[in-house]
């Protein structure tokens, strides 16, 4: 809760109204990014001091209205109704006053203390608009200030403005009028709702209006407390609909828009006509033909920066983390005389886990950095437009490509990114496809094998794997679209944001928050996985603890036991470390390299300089044929994603969904790598037959399950 | 006629919306309500269109545009 004497300002406004720029300007470096308790909407809090008074700003999510249709709107409305804020600051985009004023009208109707900040006055001026601020303030009966984030003088003006109004507590007394039929109903129902409204500290007229709008929360409050029953409410609303020939919620919206449009017509004057530059840019990037190559070029740049620039830092991060957490901890523990078993688990177990997480940071950082850049510049929305037609072919909305692209970085944030999609069917199909977008963690494995087997065509091999992943994803998408998840994709509808120069600070803060989240999430799993692995690889049934004897360990026994299953992809029985690698890959794909390194080098008792961290390429060449190596990579590309990703899918959809997906992917991986190896080298018709039979079986099972699931109609309006 | 039939560069007035509460609310949020004037800024038969509504630009898919009825202006 807020500190003593601290005043709380809640910032609210439409998306793209320049809210976060103002927030950054006011709070400087003192801010925290977190999640709203219980939900996943991002919350940013910041503090500043002005005239010996401390202020806290709570930056609410960008919303268009307070009718809770999304988590963002729900969170904002709950916060405003909780009365935790001393002042609600409504920030408006001056270049688009009439639409922005709709939210203002809703806030005023709540009878909470509201002030209006007209942001981006400079831009309105550039667009040839002149706004009469005093006139607007008189119309709204609410304090109004005009600022632009580029003008540094405006910061102190704004702070003074907040200081004054925190004292005055301005609650506007204007009331928006509705047609007589609705006004009659308001006056009848308001009397009934008065007591409850008082109890909940809400305005009775506001509560009544929301009931007429069929607001689910208000409806249940009223019905659960037996103030009115559902039939009665429905009957009255139907009556209004019959007289006015439109649903009450639309009539209310119409009247509010009518009122704010009237105000905006009076206070905004267009002094000259300006053709915005963004229209010219849009006619190129949103062009029906040019738009697609431009989109792919942009994605290539995202990819190049993430992988190539990330790679420069990966080695550096890896080496430093290894020196500190593995070697450093090891020598520290030996110097204090810790028993070797303890120092082994702490340095080679936990320490190596931490090293792995840290070495992964550069990829994640650059991926999130590039995505934030695209979002902040306004291009992301254009990309959704361009891709809508293409994604529609596999039954997904254009927006669904974002998680797919994120999937090339890491599957876990990609699964979380599906939250931007509107219906559950779209989310399920997207999550199903995302793991086949080859994630960054698989890249080190490809790089290692390509260097050993295909040194002259490394790029081509890696590219072919990525393409195979995309191809299998598209085919899987088509399969589940006609079987498990039938129905229509949700239609694209969103505002086209203005382009602007990306804000460095905003992007860095955003990227850092996402990286931190990743470290926390993946860190736990990877450290635990590496720790368990080190136990399994250093204990054996006959020998007890002996870290130098991996070949006899529990892990090796398990690997030997499973290996026959992989004969079909070209892994011979004596190449069981390859199976062990797949096993550790379930915890984290990049740990496959580490496992192969550790086990092979122990077996050959050469290349012991583990600090260098690479398997002797010659050892690899003696274990795989080139075809088997490629089949092994195909398997790694497609088989079940790491535990972190599986648990994310389980959390987002359901446990069954996560399990079905993992099983499906593993089977498909086996089928495809078997087919490849048997066609290229093995030439064993029996395996080809088994693989094809399995493929048909999967399709049949999906078809049978599909019959028992009703078609999803959630995206189709009533 | 439906919004998806309006030609590039032409304006129209929204008359009615065929859809449930969810769709209606989404459209209200973006200012696309009966009586609102829309102008088609970008359109091709296959993909979504871009409209100018209440001073901002809105992207809208064909499926949704077909459920919005308008009269020409």
């Amino acid at each position: 809760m807020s500190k003593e004497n601290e005043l709380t300002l809640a910032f609210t406004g439409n998306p793209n109204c320049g809210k976060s720029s103002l927030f950054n300007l006011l709070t400087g470096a003192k801010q925290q990014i977190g999640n709203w308790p219980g939900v996943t909407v991002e919350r940013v809090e910041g503090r500043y001091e002005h005239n010996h008074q401390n202020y806290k700003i709570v930056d609410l999510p960008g919303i268009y209205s307070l009718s809770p249709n999304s988590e963002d709107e729900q969170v904002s409305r709950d916060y405003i109704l909780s009365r935790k804020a001393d002042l609600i600051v409504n920030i408006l985009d001056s270049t688009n006053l009439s639409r922005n004023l709709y939210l203002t009208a809703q806030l005023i109707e709540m009878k909470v203390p509201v002030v209006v900040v007209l942001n981006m006055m400079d831009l309105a001026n550039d667009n040839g608009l002149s706004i009469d601020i005093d006139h607007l303030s008189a119309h709204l009966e609410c304090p109004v200030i005009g600022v632009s984030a580029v003008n540094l003088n405006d910061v102190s003006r704004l702070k003074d403005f907040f200081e004054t109004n925190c004292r005055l507590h301005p609650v506007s007394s204007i009331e928006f009028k509705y047609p007589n039929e609705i006004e009659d109903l308001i006056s009848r129902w308001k009397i009934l709702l008065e007591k409850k409204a008082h109890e909940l500290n809400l305005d009775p007229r506001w509560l009544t209006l929301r009931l007429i709008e069929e607001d689910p929360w208000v409806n249940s409050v009223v019905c659960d407390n037996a103030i009115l029953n559902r039939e009665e409410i429905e009957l009255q609303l139907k009556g209004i609909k019959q007289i006015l020939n439109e649903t009450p919620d639309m009539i209310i919206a119409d009247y509010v828009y009518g009122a704010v449009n009237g105000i905006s017509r009076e206070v905004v004057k267009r002094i000259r006509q300006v053709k915005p530059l963004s229209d010219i840019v849009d006619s190129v990037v949103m062009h029906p033909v040019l738009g697609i190559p431009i989109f792919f070029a942009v994605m290539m740049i995202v990819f190049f920066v993430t992988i190539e620039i990330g790679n420069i830092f990966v080695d550096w991060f890896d080496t430093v983390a290894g020196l500190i957490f593995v070697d450093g901890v090891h020598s520290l523990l030996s110097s204090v005389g810790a028993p070797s078993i303890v120092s082994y688990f702490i340095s080679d177990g936990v320490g190596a886990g931490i090293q792995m997480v840290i070495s992964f940071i550069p990829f994640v950082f650059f991926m999130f950095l590039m995505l934030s850049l695209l979002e902040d510049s306004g291009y992301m929305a254009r990309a959704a437009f361009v891709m809508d037609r293409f994604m529609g072919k596999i039954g997904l909305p254009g927006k669904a490509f974002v998680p797919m692209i994120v999937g090339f970085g890491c599957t876990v944030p990609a699964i979380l990114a599906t939250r931007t999609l509107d219906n559950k069917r779209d989310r399920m199909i997207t999550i199903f496809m995302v793991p086949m977008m080859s994630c960054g963690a698989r890249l080190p494995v490809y790089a290692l094998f390509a260097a050993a087997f295909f040194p002259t065509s490394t790029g081509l091999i890696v590219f072919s794997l990525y393409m195979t992943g995309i191809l299998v994803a598209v085919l899987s998408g088509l399969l589940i679209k006609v079987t498990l998840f039938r129905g229509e994709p949700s239609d694209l509808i969103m505002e086209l944001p203005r382009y602007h120069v990306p804000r460095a600070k905003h992007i860095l803060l955003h990227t850092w928050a996402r990286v931190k989240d990743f470290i926390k999430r993946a860190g736990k799993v990877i450290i635990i996985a590496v720790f368990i692995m080190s136990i399994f690889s250093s204990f054996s049934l006959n020998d007890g603890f002996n870290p130098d004897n991996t070949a006899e360990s529990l892990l090796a026994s398990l690997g030997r036991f499973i290996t026959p299953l992989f004969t079909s992809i070209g892994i011979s029985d004596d190449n069981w470390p390859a199976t062990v690698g797949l096993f550790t890959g379930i915890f984290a794909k990049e740990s496959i390299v580490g496992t192969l390194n550790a086990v092979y080098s122990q077996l050959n008792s050469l290349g012991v300089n583990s600090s260098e961290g690479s398997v002797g390429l010659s050892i690899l060449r003696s274990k795989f044929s080139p075809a088997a190596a490629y089949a092994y990579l195909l398997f790694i590309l497609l088989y079940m994603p790491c535990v972190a990703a599986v648990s994310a899918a389980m959390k987002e959809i359901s446990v069954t969904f996560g399990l079905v997906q993992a099983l499906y992917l593993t089977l498909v991986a086996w089928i495809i790598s078997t087919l490849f190896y048997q066609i290229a080298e093995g030439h064993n018709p029996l395996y080809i037959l088994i693989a094809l039979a399995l493929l048909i079986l999967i399709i049949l099972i999906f078809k049978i399950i599909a019959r028992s699931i009703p078609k999803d109609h959630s995206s189709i309006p009533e | 006629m439906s919004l998806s039939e309006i030609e590039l560069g032409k304006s129209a007035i929204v008359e009615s919306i065929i859809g449930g509460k969810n769709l209606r609310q989404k459209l209200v949020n973006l200012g696309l309500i009966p009586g609102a004037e829309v102008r088609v800024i970008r359109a091709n038969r296959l993909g979504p269109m871009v409209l100018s509504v209440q001073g901002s630009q809105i992207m809208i898919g064909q499926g949704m545009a077909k459920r919005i009825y308008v009269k020409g202006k």
Side-chain angles (χ1 to χ4, degrees):
Chain A
M1 269 315 292
S2 63
K3 282 182 233 157
E4 196 109 21
N5 301 328
E6 191 179 58
L7 291 170
T8 305
L9 311 171
F11 273 24
T12 176
N14 283 188
N16 315 309
C17 69
K19 207 158 52 75
S20 38
S21 301
L22 270 191
F23 175 84
N24 286 340
L25 216 56
L26 283 165
T27 58
K30 291 177 203 156
Q31 43 184 282
Q32 312 163 288
I33 298 176
N35 280 334
W36 291 89
V39 287
T40 48
V41 180
E42 209 165 70
R43 171 175 64 178
V44 189
E45 273 182 21
R47 292 190 160 76
Y48 71 89
E49 206 198 283
H50 183 61
N51 291 343
H52 311 293
Q53 169 66 50
N54 289 318
Y55 292 85
K56 178 171 88 171
I57 304 181
V58 177
D59 194 11
L60 296 169
I63 50 168
Y64 293 107
S65 79
L66 291 161
S67 320
N69 280 285
S70 69
E71 272 179 8
D72 290 359
E73 290 169 2
Q74 185 72 53
V75 161
S76 299
R77 191 169 96 171
D78 288 351
Y79 189 83
I80 292 164
L81 290 178
S82 75
R83 311 254 170 166
K84 277 183 197 150
D86 296 282
L87 195 63
I88 309 293
V89 179
N90 180 205
I91 295 158
L92 269 57
D93 172 0
S94 307
T95 63
N96 182 8
L97 216 50
S98 50
R99 220 270 321 286
N100 276 251
L101 277 170
Y102 182 67
L103 180 67
T104 314
Q106 291 202 318
L107 288 166
I108 284 175
E109 272 193 330
M110 285 171 128
K111 302 282 170 209
V112 288
V114 181
V115 294
V116 168
V117 177
L118 293 182
N119 195 17
M120 308 202 269
M121 287 297 276
D122 50 327
L123 217 64
N125 200 25
D126 293 346
N127 285 0
L129 301 174
S130 138
I131 301 171
D132 186 342
I133 293 174
D134 295 332
H135 207 152
L136 179 64
S137 174
H139 269 296
L140 297 172
E141 296 182 26
C142 155
V144 180
I145 188 174
V147 296
S148 64
V150 288
N151 190 344
L152 289 175
N153 277 340
D154 281 353
V155 177
S156 56
R157 268 181 61 226
L158 202 54
K159 286 179 177 171
D160 288 337
F161 177 75
F162 293 150
E163 186 186 18
T164 318
N165 285 300
C166 276
R167 251 197 334 267
L168 295 175
H169 237 64
V171 177
S172 170
S173 56
I174 63 164
E175 242 171 34
F176 295 95
K177 289 281 173 260
Y178 300 99
N180 290 338
E181 290 79 4
I182 289 184
E183 287 293 345
D184 287 348
L185 193 59
I186 294 174
S187 45
R188 263 184 292 143
W189 278 357
K190 206 172 94 174
I191 305 164
L192 303 171
L193 293 178
E194 212 130 47
K195 198 170 143 243
K196 193 74 208 167
H198 195 72
E199 244 173 68
L200 295 167
N201 203 6
L202 301 172
D203 178 69
R205 186 178 161 91
W206 179 83
L207 196 68
T208 316
L209 273 165
R210 301 292 83 81
L211 181 64
I212 297 173
E213 258 184 13
E214 296 171 84
D215 180 303
W217 178 76
V218 176
N219 193 290
S220 62
V221 165
V222 171
C223 295
D224 294 350
N225 289 288
I227 300 170
L228 279 160
N229 63 44
R230 285 211 160 79
E231 292 74 38
E232 166 72 5
I233 296 172
E234 261 170 45
L235 189 76
Q236 295 289 343
L237 296 183
K238 214 180 234 170
I240 291 185
K241 196 184 166 192
Q242 259 160 13
I243 301 169
L244 297 175
N245 209 7
E246 186 58 85
T247 50
D249 58 338
M250 290 305 260
I251 296 164
I252 292 173
D254 186 24
Y255 270 67
V256 174
Y257 265 113
V260 297
N261 278 336
I263 295 173
S264 119
R265 261 197 301 277
E266 276 194 39
V267 300
V268 183
K269 294 277 171 288
R270 182 168 285 282
I271 23 187
R272 60 180 191 282
Q273 205 68 36
V274 181
K275 188 172 168 64
L277 183 68
S278 74
D279 276 7
I280 302 162
V281 181
D282 277 347
S283 59
V284 179
V285 303
M286 296 172 85
H287 190 274
V289 180
L290 285 177
I292 291 171
I294 291 173
F295 167 74
F296 281 108
V298 170
M299 286 303 133
M300 289 270 285
I301 295 169
V302 170
F303 218 70
F304 176 82
V305 170
T306 309
I307 304 298
E308 296 295 322
I309 308 207
N311 240 330
I312 299 172
F313 292 91
V314 165
D315 288 343
W316 196 80
F317 270 64
D318 194 47
T319 313
V320 172
L323 279 176
I324 298 170
F325 292 103
V326 183
D327 302 343
V329 170
H330 192 89
S331 46
L332 184 78
L333 287 170
S334 338
S335 71
V336 296
S340 72
I341 183 164
V342 173
S343 81
Y344 173 77
F345 278 132
I346 294 183
S347 67
D348 292 341
V350 178
I354 295 174
Q355 180 193 10
M356 193 173 284
V357 175
I358 290 178
S359 67
F360 209 37
I361 291 175
F363 282 138
V364 176
F365 176 83
F366 281 105
M367 170 58 73
F368 285 144
L369 182 75
M370 292 308 282
L371 288 174
S372 304
L373 254 169
L374 288 188
E375 275 168 17
D376 203 46
S377 65
Y379 181 72
M380 202 66 119
R382 273 80 186 177
F385 179 87
V386 170
M387 293 307 287
D388 200 62
R389 195 170 19 140
F390 175 75
M391 295 299 282
K393 297 237 190 313
I394 42 173
L396 286 174
K399 267 198 261 179
F401 85 92
V402 180
M404 306 267 181
I405 299 294
V406 179
F408 287 118
C410 178
T411 310
V412 176
I415 289 173
L416 301 180
T418 60
R419 288 179 183 166
T420 54
L421 302 180
D422 294 320
N423 72 43
K424 196 161 179 188
R425 173 196 164 275
D426 294 352
R427 295 193 61 197
M428 289 201 283
I429 297 184
T430 311
I431 293 178
F432 205 84
M433 292 169 68
V434 155
M436 291 173 251
M437 307 293 130
S438 184
C439 70
R442 283 171 250 196
L443 199 61
V445 193
Y446 304 159
L448 175 72
F449 276 78
F453 293 96
F454 318 100
T456 51
S457 50
T458 310
L460 193 69
I461 291 295
V462 175
F463 182 74
S464 73
L465 286 163
Y466 275 91
M467 285 300 130
T468 309
I470 295 169
L471 187 70
V472 176
V474 169
L475 292 174
S476 304
L478 288 172
L479 173 67
I480 57 173
K481 178 189 133 187
V482 296
T483 56
L484 294 188
F485 312 123
R486 288 167 301 167
E488 296 292 317
S490 68
D491 237 331
L492 175 73
I493 177 146
M494 63 188 283
E495 188 182 356
L496 196 60
R498 218 192 329 271
Y499 288 107
H500 56 74
V501 180
R503 300 153 291 181
K505 191 178 161 193
H506 177 76
I507 289 178
L508 285 174
L509 277 171
H510 212 76
T511 306
W512 173 234
R514 288 168 161 187
V515 170
K516 220 165 57 181
D517 192 52
F518 170 81
I519 297 173
K520 266 194 257 167
R521 221 179 272 278
K524 269 183 240 159
V525 180
I526 295 176
I527 291 170
I528 292 169
V530 173
F531 187 73
I532 293 173
M533 283 304 304
S534 60
I535 295 178
F536 271 92
S537 65
S538 57
F539 273 100
S540 82
L541 292 172
N542 334 320
D543 204 12
F545 170 73
N546 182 0
D548 298 328
N549 195 7
T550 308
E552 297 300 321
S553 65
L554 286 172
L555 189 70
S557 319
L558 190 69
R560 284 199 192 93
F561 180 71
I562 300 176
T563 302
L565 281 177
F566 297 105
T567 314
S568 66
I569 73 165
I571 297 177
S572 55
D573 282 358
D574 65 321
N575 191 12
W576 55 266
T579 315
V580 175
L582 294 178
F583 184 69
T584 56
I586 295 173
F587 292 96
K589 301 275 156 140
E590 69 274 31
S591 63
I592 294 173
V593 173
T595 308
L596 293 181
N597 180 33
V599 182
Y600 282 137
S601 54
Q602 273 184 19
L603 285 179
N604 290 269
S605 49
L606 43 88
V608 206
N609 51 341
S610 61
S611 64
E612 206 183 311
S614 70
V615 190
L617 298 181
S618 58
I619 305 178
L620 269 185
R621 276 189 218 114
S622 70
K623 297 287 179 188
F624 291 88
S625 71
Y630 193 78
Y632 187 64
L633 291 183
L634 279 175
F635 192 88
I636 288 168
L637 164 73
L638 294 168
Y639 84 123
M640 68 173 284
C642 65
V643 276
V646 175
S647 66
M650 285 176 171
K651 239 189 296 177
E652 293 301 307
I653 305 292
S654 71
V655 174
T656 326
F657 179 91
L659 290 175
V660 168
Q661 182 182 30
L663 187 67
Y664 170 85
L665 287 168
T666 310
L667 278 175
V668 166
W670 190 88
I671 292 168
I672 288 178
S673 48
T674 297
L675 284 176
F676 173 82
Y677 181 73
Q678 293 304 331
I679 291 168
E681 198 171 88
H683 308 305
N684 186 338
L686 181 67
Y687 281 127
I688 296 180
L689 242 103
I690 295 176
L692 290 175
L694 267 175
L695 194 64
I696 294 165
L697 189 71
I698 291 177
I699 296 173
L700 280 179
I701 290 175
F702 274 20
K703 283 207 151 160
I704 293 165
I705 300 175
R707 253 181 243 160
S708 62
I709 312 177
K711 201 171 162 182
D712 179 13
H713 285 288
S714 64
S715 65
I716 300 167
E718 303 143 31
Chain B
M1 81 187 123
S2 86
L3 183 55
S4 67
E5 293 165 61
I6 302 291
E7 278 169 50
L8 186 64
K10 292 276 186 314
S11 296
I13 307 283
V14 178
E15 282 203 308
S16 59
I17 292 157
I18 313 300
K21 172 90 180 141
N22 240 328
L23 174 71
R24 291 204 307 267
Q25 190 57 51
K26 269 187 200 165
L27 297 175
V28 164
N29 282 354
L30 296 169
L32 211 63
I33 54 164
E37 184 179 339
V38 297
R39 193 162 57 82
V40 178
I41 296 182
R42 228 168 284 287
N44 68 74
R45 298 239 166 270
L46 302 161
M49 45 199 327
V50 178
L51 308 171
S52 168
V53 188
Q54 317 265 10
S56 63
Q57 297 196 356
I58 308 289
M59 301 190 286
I60 183 166
Q62 284 290 340
M64 210 173 263
K66 285 201 175 80
R67 294 198 285 267
I68 299 171
Y69 285 90
V70 296
K71 60 169 186 269
K73 201 197 165 201

